[in-house]
Amino acid sequence: MALAFDEYGRPFIILREQESKSRLRGLDAQKSNIAAGVAVSRILRTSLGPKGMDKMLQSPDGDITITNDGATILEQMDVDNQIGKLMVELSRSQDYEIGDGTTGVVVMAGALLEQAERLLERGIHPIRVAEGFEISSRIAVDHLEQIAHKFDFSATNIEPLVQTCMTTLSSKIVNRCKRSLAEIAVKGVMAVADLERKDVNLDLIKVEGKVGGKLEDTELIYGIIVDKDMSHPQMPKQIEDAKIAILTCPFEPPKPKTKHKVDIDTVEKFQTLREQEKKYFDDMVQRCKDVGATLVICQWGFDDEANHLLMHRNLPAVRWVGGVELELIAIATGGRIVPRFQELTPEKLGKAGLVREKAFGTTKDRMLYIEHCANSKAVTVFIRGGNKMMIEETKRSIHDALCVARNLIRNNSIVYGGGAAEISCSIAVEAAADKYPGVEQYAIRAFADALDSVPMALAENSGLQPIETVSAVKAQQIKENNPCCGIDCNDAGTNDMREQNVFETLIGKQQQILLATQVVKMILKIDDVISPSEY
Amino acid sequence: MAVERLFKDEATEEKGERARMASFVGAMAIADLVKTTLGPKGMDKILQSTGRGHSVTVTNDGATILKSLHIDNPAAKVLIDISKVQDDEVGDGTTSVVVLAGELLREAEKLVATKIHPMTIISGYRMAADCARSALLERVMDNKEDAEKFRSDLMKIAMTTLSSKILSQDKEHFATLAVDAVMRLKGSTNLESIQIIKKAGGSLKDSFLDEGFILDKKIGLGQPKRIENANILVANTAMDTDKVKIYGARVRVDSMAKVAQIEGAEKEKMREKVQKIIGHGINCFVNRQLIYNFPEELFADAGILAIEHADFDGIERLALVTGGEIASTFDNPESVKLGHCKLIEEIMIGEDKLIHFSGVEMGQACTIVLRGASFHVLDEAERSLHDALCVLSQTVNDSRVLLGGGWPEMVMAKAVDELARKTPGKKSHAIDAFSRALLAIPTTIADNAGLDSAELIAQLRAEHHKENSNAGIDVITGSVGDMGELGISEAFKVKQAVLLSATEAAEMILRVDEIITCAPRRREDRM
């Protein structure tokens, strides 16, 4: 390390405690970063595709997660390496943006890094490699646009949407009932979708799970389910044509925010205070009753006395309902959330056709169903399954399926799955490479090779000969000029993905390529890693 | 260049074969652990807690055993979870589900060793599970229409469930208890309204079902010990000093005289409250919270029986049986619904005095009093009875019934075997394995009973080759017998749950090819 000296021959301290910090520079830094990125992607590689395997993760508290979802695996993996963390971020941003393809994006990035390493060894400057990748990613994205198909669906014809969701679900453990789950997801999305604006607010779809029962019992409920029961055991368990008061204030004497003290020093004061207290409760309940509410849903708790008064006045109530659920109830029932009793008016009440309490199994578990709401724009997917891990995994899978359906409503272009899109892109990029003068050409070719790695992994996971299968499919694509040929993972006997009905969304694929390229570019540009020593 | 550290320090990672081995071994170890408790001749386990007192539990209940284990193996945790869910959902079959899942994995391990891909095994298992389920569905019996027969079905189920437990000696007695209790619920699955009171002393045979309601409390001093035609007010209110609930209020006085005044006011307030309560025209008052001496004295003066500190469940049940509402304010006596019962009296069970409410209005709730030689016996008896009650209440809702004694497994295995023969491809190996795993359950039952399992299973198979055979293992005589005649039945719902959750769990574990264990969270060790 070159050191600068001052006039007395003492070295300038540039990095504090220089000796105790480990530092990697130049090619070494790039190589070690690449190795880390590749290691992460290798973990996910086996999870890709319909025959991909799951990972079992044990959290620091000993809880078990079994999942196939790339983003979840990486998030819970306890990665310590900085580059590893970048890959985690990459998968997460794909999850936020698209919701699906979180495994694919990491595998893609890993493949790009592997290719980049080879180029670096040949002495090509990292920036040139990065630029080459950038150019090719643009070619690939444009090419995807060309091979994409528009497909038509409407509120009545949801079959194409269901097919696409089934592709997403087929790689998960729930693929046993992918058909019914895909239908649930699509119907749920269609219920809340704004087809005019082509937008879907996924917050309106609540995914609730309860252990027990079987996966086939999973259902879509046009309404809300709250994991709560009535505050008083003797309140009615079923209310028809409910008018719901949605409150965020507790049934308790008010607690002013400013500090104050009420001093009791005489008997009279003691008694007035008591009277006052009683009046508070009475007023609160009376006010709810006056506006015509037949059900009170409250974010906070009730005092015993208030509880009894509610029961007494025949006003069922639910307490300790979470903020998010409260909002959903408000949306579904068309009511307004009321922060103070004084502001309660009949117009602000929500309406629901049926509110009922349902008991499960042999324990005390009860849930509250709010159905036939005034505004059916909020739905709940209610998942049942054999054990906790299964429910959690199903939740994640449903989330993915919901995201896919949403993306299709936003943009109805699709490309073909099963690696067909990647192979087609790879051919296009390869062909384009020769047109570029200069070193970038090599990078572009490398990019084309990296694109092959996704179908390669798919074939590998499905127990096929990876190299043979991919090259055969590639040849077929070129010969027939048909971008729908992919890997036949399910042994269906054909590799035309159009026949197998394996679709993926265009934006999902484009996003995968763009995000992976970006991260790789970032990693390639790092030439100095300074890490603090062990402490 | 190798990556030095991808994970945090203590995180570990196991891949491919090793990961699969780790999960197979863990799951099988758990299954073997509870295996010996299966069946009517299954053995019990002693569990000693690590908590204070090292309390001891003796049990035969799979879910209870597994719940108390400290397990580090992730796959084993999956099995424990399914057992727990089985307990919550149907109440019985907690051991069978774990044993079946364990056997499925054991078979899967053999297949993996012969280089069959886990995904192929899974798809085979799925086909087999579907086939097994439809085979069961074909053979179910439903006697919902015929009340008499349905009751005898329930009796049979209860006896079958109880026969593997500590209560097996008096299973007829307890089965009657359980069926009576569940029939009173009239189709609701709310087991809370069946109260189980455990009192040491006497023998298990002395246990009885009481139609009324028994509260494990004493009657206050100087209050009537016996009330006929009682009007009961069930309340949840503070009967100590009432606090002022307005925030920020506090008492501040400057002389002793004023303290006395306020105290007087407080007393006055309490007196008023008691007066209001008495104003309801009651002669029994049950409160969830404490009743202080002062109000108690007032109640005694008015000739009212006051019971304090009944726990929450007790209050709810009491409200349920007597038909009263749980009150917290007492300003409108005319509209509060009071509970009624014909007679309240103090009774003695063993050494303890209890309060007995008889002739209650609503017949839904009831109390089962368990007697037994020691607390451990009582605890186990309670768990067994709970299992039986759960199964019965589920059967009342879903009245489909199957025969027991390994019969359902044989029926399923036969159907699955046939499927295996029809299926081309590698999957058929997995389907075959599924049927072997199913056979493991009757095998275990026979083994646990000390019988020659190989011989018996072979006989059973031959027997089942005929159409509509009712053959199963008769553990008592140690031979193959007609389950229909022996009256051994099981609920369809339980068997279905066992089959489906075991397959689901096995599938889940099979799909795993990598285990990543995070560094354990550091806790502040207080030891």
Side-chain angles (χ1 to χ4, degrees):
Chain A
M1 201 181 295
L3 289 176
F5 296 95
D6 67 1
E7 59 220 83
Y8 303 108
R10 287 181 305 209
F12 282 117
I13 307 280
I14 300 170
L15 287 168
R16 196 182 299 192
E17 294 163 29
Q18 209 147 222
E19 283 73 38
S20 62
K21 287 201 167 71
S22 60
R23 188 167 176 185
L24 278 174
R25 307 185 70 189
L27 208 51
D28 275 348
Q30 273 138 359
K31 279 195 177 167
S32 101
N33 290 342
I34 287 173
V38 170
V40 171
S41 91
R42 209 167 278 155
I43 291 177
L44 285 195
R45 201 181 155 96
T46 52
S47 288
L48 199 71
K51 297 273 162 92
M53 305 294 278
D54 288 4
K55 306 274 175 269
M56 194 184 262
L57 302 150
Q58 192 167 20
S59 82
D61 297 322
D63 296 331
I64 307 285
T65 312
I66 297 179
T67 182
N68 184 290
D69 181 49
T72 316
I73 298 173
L74 288 178
E75 214 152 291
Q76 307 212 348
M77 220 161 60
D78 227 1
V79 173
D80 203 24
N81 186 292
Q82 300 85 348
I83 302 300
K85 280 182 184 155
L86 271 182
M87 301 295 262
V88 174
E89 284 294 321
L90 166 68
S91 165
R92 198 179 295 159
S93 56
Q94 172 85 8
D95 194 26
Y96 287 161
E97 197 49 34
I98 306 295
D100 187 31
T102 50
T103 317
V105 69
V106 176
V107 172
M108 178 79 209
L112 284 176
L113 285 173
E114 265 175 41
Q115 294 293 339
E117 188 179 12
R118 233 168 278 163
L119 294 177
L120 292 181
E121 266 166 21
R122 290 162 80 175
I124 301 180
H125 193 270
I127 300 292
R128 303 296 285 272
V129 177
E131 267 162 19
F133 281 176
E134 180 68 35
I135 296 167
S136 9
S137 76
R138 238 176 292 136
I139 300 172
V141 168
D142 288 344
H143 181 72
L144 281 176
E145 199 94 47
Q146 282 168 25
I147 61 167
H149 287 247
K150 291 269 173 200
F151 84 152
D152 295 319
F153 62 89
S154 59
T156 45
N157 176 25
I158 55 169
E159 186 56 29
L161 284 178
V162 174
Q163 292 290 351
T164 320
C165 286
M166 270 164 67
T167 311
T168 306
L169 290 175
S170 64
S171 67
K172 315 280 177 190
I173 192 166
V174 295
N175 62 7
R176 181 154 49 98
C177 14
K178 60 179 172 188
R179 173 84 214 174
S180 63
L181 287 182
E183 269 171 23
I184 286 174
V186 172
K187 279 185 192 150
V189 170
M190 290 310 264
V192 301
D194 187 344
L195 288 177
E196 306 255 292
R197 276 196 311 123
K198 293 196 166 185
D199 196 15
V200 184
N201 184 0
L202 282 188
D203 289 342
L204 296 178
I205 304 177
K206 195 175 166 218
V207 182
E208 214 19 275
K210 192 110 204 152
V211 284
K214 42 186 194 299
L215 201 54
E216 284 84 352
D217 296 338
T218 303
E219 54 182 342
L220 178 72
I221 288 156
Y222 292 94
I224 307 288
I225 298 182
V226 193
D227 197 355
K228 291 276 175 299
D229 49 5
M230 296 290 182
S231 63
H232 196 288
Q234 284 163 319
M235 284 176 178
K237 305 282 182 231
Q238 185 161 349
I239 305 157
E240 274 164 36
D241 291 323
K243 293 209 171 68
I244 306 170
I246 305 161
L247 298 172
T248 51
C249 45
F251 271 86
E252 273 162 18
K255 289 182 182 168
K257 297 255 162 45
T258 42
K259 264 206 163 158
H260 71 291
K261 292 216 167 70
V262 184
D263 283 345
I264 304 171
D265 48 12
T266 60
V267 174
E268 291 77 49
K269 278 192 185 166
F270 181 74
Q271 263 154 2
T272 34
L273 215 56
R274 250 180 56 206
E275 290 302 317
Q276 187 67 28
E277 187 189 296
K278 221 187 297 172
K279 212 167 139 274
Y280 266 133
F281 287 127
D282 227 36
D283 273 359
M284 283 187 286
V285 177
Q286 197 52 44
R287 216 175 266 274
C288 296
K289 198 78 189 163
D290 281 348
V291 293
T294 52
L295 174 69
V296 178
I297 291 179
C298 185
Q299 196 174 7
W300 301 99
F302 311 155
D303 199 88
D304 279 345
E305 276 172 53
N307 201 0
H308 175 246
L309 277 175
L310 283 169
M311 153 77 197
H312 196 75
R313 305 263 169 95
N314 206 2
L315 194 59
V318 187
R319 57 182 153 185
W320 298 121
V321 178
V324 182
E325 281 147 347
L326 212 63
E327 253 170 53
L328 276 175
I329 294 174
I331 293 170
T333 59
R336 294 267 295 277
I337 297 176
V338 183
R340 267 187 213 99
F341 286 100
Q342 288 78 9
E343 286 165 24
L344 207 56
T345 55
E347 303 85 63
K348 287 183 181 168
L349 296 180
K351 288 176 192 65
L354 180 68
V355 179
R356 64 196 165 99
E357 204 182 90
K358 198 175 164 192
F360 292 99
T362 59
T363 45
K364 258 174 133 181
D365 278 346
R366 294 201 196 95
M367 285 184 127
L368 204 66
Y369 282 58
I370 302 174
E371 288 172 300
H372 308 302
C373 300
N375 171 8
S376 65
K377 282 237 166 215
V379 296
T380 308
V381 180
F382 187 53
I383 299 171
R384 308 298 314 272
N387 54 48
K388 206 169 63 209
M389 296 116 203
M390 189 78 190
I391 299 262
E392 290 302 314
E393 178 66 359
T394 313
K395 268 190 193 170
R396 280 188 289 269
S397 312
I398 288 272
H399 168 80
D400 281 8
L402 290 174
C403 288
V404 168
R406 176 195 61 180
N407 294 339
L408 279 174
I409 288 174
R410 278 195 186 150
N411 179 351
N412 64 350
S413 305
I414 48 150
V415 291
Y416 289 95
E422 280 88 356
I423 293 176
S424 172
C425 278
S426 155
I427 295 169
V429 172
E430 183 87 54
D434 298 339
K435 290 182 206 138
Y436 283 87
V439 190
E440 281 86 358
Q441 207 183 80
Y442 283 90
I444 297 173
R445 283 211 193 97
F447 192 92
D449 284 344
L451 276 170
D452 279 347
S453 70
V454 172
M456 207 82 103
L458 268 180
E460 226 170 276
N461 291 345
S462 316
L464 304 167
Q465 296 287 342
I467 298 176
E468 250 168 58
T469 321
V470 173
S471 52
V473 171
K474 211 168 189 177
Q476 196 183 356
Q477 278 212 5
I478 294 176
K479 204 168 82 196
E480 298 173 11
N481 198 10
N482 175 9
C484 313
C485 295
I487 309 290
D488 177 20
C489 299
N490 290 328
D491 248 353
T494 166
N495 52 16
D496 191 331
M497 292 296 136
R498 219 169 345 184
E499 274 170 45
Q500 283 204 23
N501 281 325
V502 179
F503 312 119
E504 280 179 73
T505 55
L506 172 67
I507 35 176
K509 259 288 116 69
Q510 284 180 333
Q511 199 65 236
Q512 266 186 6
I513 292 178
L514 289 176
L515 283 175
T517 317
Q518 268 176 31
V519 167
V520 170
K521 260 173 69 191
M522 198 200 291
I523 295 176
L524 283 177
K525 280 187 177 169
I526 301 169
D527 76 337
D528 197 343
V529 181
I530 302 168
S531 46
S533 59
E534 298 292 320
Y535 45 87
Chain B
M1 183 187 292
V3 192
E4 289 151 29
R5 262 177 39 217
L6 192 56
F7 298 111
K8 288 205 179 113
D9 273 352
E10 286 169 56
T12 55
E13 188 192 5
E14 282 180 67
K15 283 192 165 186
E17 278 310 295
R18 275 182 59 85
R20 212 167 281 138
M21 279 318 286
S23 43
F24 283 156
V25 169
M28 284 189 290
I30 288 291
D32 287 341
L33 186 82
V34 291
K35 208 172 174 179
T36 53
T37 63
L38 197 71
K41 302 276 165 171
M43 305 299 275
D44 290 3
K45 307 258 178 252
I46 285 191
L47 308 165
Q48 188 172 27
S49 79
T50 49
R52 192 180 302 165
H54 296 276
S55 63
V56 169
T57 315
V58 183
T59 184
N60 180 289
D61 183 42
T64 314
I65 299 172
L66 293 178
K67 249 186 269 179
S68 358
L69 291 176
H70 295 283
I71 296 285
D72 204 31
N73 187 301
K77 279 189 181 156
V78 175
L79 287 197
I80 294 180
D81 196 61
I82 55 169
S83 164
K84 226 183 276 173
V85 172
Q86 179 85 5
D87 195 27
D88 291 348
E89 218 18 50
V90 285
D92 193 26
T94 51
T95 314
S96 321
V97 70
V98 176
V99 173
L100 184 58
E103 285 306 323
L104 284 174
L105 288 172
R106 196 189 304 274
E107 293 296 336
E109 190 199 1
K110 286 180 208 155
L111 292 179
V112 171
T114 57
K115 298 268 181 291
I116 293 180
H117 195 268
M119 287 296 167
T120 317
I121 305 179
I122 287 174
S123 62
Y125 275 8
R126 271 187 195 165
M127 286 170 70
D130 276 347
C131 163
R133 188 165 161 254
S134 43
L136 279 189
L137 270 173
E138 257 171 44
R139 301 288 303 268
V140 290
M141 290 162 285
D142 193 342
N143 289 330
K144 186 132 196 139
E145 307 307 314
D146 190 345
E148 189 102 335
K149 256 194 169 157
F150 186 49
R151 199 188 147 85
S152 85
D153 271 354
L154 286 183
M155 274 301 285
K156 282 183 205 161
I157 292 176
M159 294 212 315
T160 311
T161 306
L162 290 173
S163 65
S164 65
K165 314 277 169 168
I166 196 168
L167 301 177
S168 61
Q169 292 306 316
D170 311 300
K171 63 182 174 192
E172 217 152 307
H173 179 63
F174 282 101
T176 327
L177 280 188
V179 172
D180 280 346
V182 169
M183 291 307 262
R184 290 172 73 92
L185 291 178
K186 301 187 180 75
S188 122
T189 51
N190 189 357
L191 291 180
E192 289 156 49
S193 41
I194 301 177
Q195 189 191 19
I196 300 181
I197 289 182
K198 298 173 282 184
K199 285 282 166 222
S203 75
L204 280 172
K205 250 210 162 70
D206 298 334
S207 309
F208 61 94
L209 175 87
D210 196 281
E211 305 223 331
F213 180 78
I214 293 176
L215 200 63
D216 196 353
K217 287 282 161 235
K218 289 199 182 82
I219 292 180
L221 214 63
Q223 290 168 347
K225 296 274 185 249
R226 185 188 157 88
I227 297 176
E228 276 174 48
N229 287 330
N231 287 330
I232 307 162
L233 181 65
V234 187
N236 175 14
T237 184
M239 288 305 268
D240 41 6
T241 45
D242 245 8
K243 282 177 217 78
V244 178
K245 282 171 193 154
I246 292 174
Y247 187 67
R250 62 171 181 180
V251 180
R252 188 173 216 167
V253 286
D254 45 19
S255 71
M256 283 307 283
K258 282 195 175 152
V259 177
Q261 273 176 6
I262 287 181
E263 227 177 61
E266 249 173 28
K267 231 174 192 174
E268 195 51 41
K269 184 184 167 194
M270 186 48 73
R271 195 188 301 275
E272 252 172 51
K273 195 167 179 179
V274 172
Q275 281 310 325
K276 268 187 212 153
I277 293 172
I278 296 172
H280 285 69
I282 53 165
N283 40 22
C284 175
F285 175 73
V286 186
N287 192 12
R288 185 171 86 84
Q289 299 173 26
L290 284 173
I291 303 179
Y292 269 28
N293 293 354
F294 176 63
E296 191 172 341
E297 185 191 321
L298 291 176
F299 281 123
D301 284 348
I304 291 175
L305 172 63
I307 303 165
E308 64 166 5
H309 217 226
D311 55 12
F312 204 78
D313 284 347
I315 282 287
E316 267 183 33
R317 282 199 202 105
L318 195 61
L320 204 65
V321 275
T322 59
E325 70 181 53
I326 301 173
S328 292
T329 55
F330 309 99
D331 292 328
N332 317 313
E334 60 289 340
S335 57
V336 172
K337 252 169 71 195
L338 294 178
H340 297 283
C341 79
K342 292 254 163 57
L343 180 69
I344 301 175
E345 60 182 340
E346 206 172 44
I347 52 165
M348 299 270 291
I349 296 178
E351 294 256 294
D352 297 307
K353 285 181 189 162
L354 303 166
I355 304 169
H356 183 223
F357 298 77
S358 56
V360 289
E361 275 190 352
M362 315 273 253
Q364 282 206 11
C366 55
T367 305
I368 295 176
V369 180
L370 287 179
R371 308 298 314 274
S374 76
F375 284 112
H376 299 145
V377 171
L378 283 175
D379 281 346
E380 177 64 1
E382 187 191 0
R383 272 191 295 273
S384 316
L385 201 59
H386 178 253
D387 276 8
L389 289 175
C390 287
V391 176
L392 288 178
S393 69
Q394 294 294 331
T395 317
V396 170
N397 284 343
D398 182 349
S399 58
R400 287 174 290 182
V401 172
L402 295 167
L403 296 178
W407 177 85
E409 283 80 14
M410 293 309 296
V411 170
M412 287 193 275
K414 188 183 163 202
V416 173
D417 260 343
E418 266 160 37
L419 178 74
R421 253 175 268 150
K422 275 183 247 159
T423 314
K426 281 189 277 192
K427 274 183 233 166
S428 71
H429 291 288
I431 300 173
D432 222 21
F434 195 92
S435 114
R436 277 200 300 279
L438 282 171
L439 286 183
I441 289 193
T443 314
T444 315
I445 294 180
D447 276 340
N448 286 348
L451 305 171
D452 182 356
S453 60
E455 169 69 24
L456 267 178
I457 299 301
Q459 279 184 22
L460 263 183
R461 263 175 102 119
E463 205 55 47
H464 272 266
H465 199 63
K466 299 174 205 151
E467 284 299 306
N468 295 331
S469 161
N470 284 343
I473 299 179
D474 182 357
V475 177
I476 313 298
T477 58
S479 61
V480 172
D482 187 322
M483 291 296 121
E485 279 168 25
L486 287 168
I488 297 177
S489 299
E490 280 181 80
F492 171 70
K493 205 168 169 190
V494 174
K495 273 289 155 215
Q496 175 182 286
V498 167
L499 181 71
L500 294 181
S501 8
T503 321
E504 227 165 60
E507 192 179 306
M508 210 156 191
I509 294 172
L510 266 176
R511 281 177 67 105
V512 172
D513 76 336
E514 180 153 341
I515 302 176
I516 297 168
T517 316
C518 293
R521 198 184 295 284
R522 299 209 181 278
R523 278 173 230 273
E524 294 195 8
D525 254 338
R526 272 171 295 166
M527 305 240 243

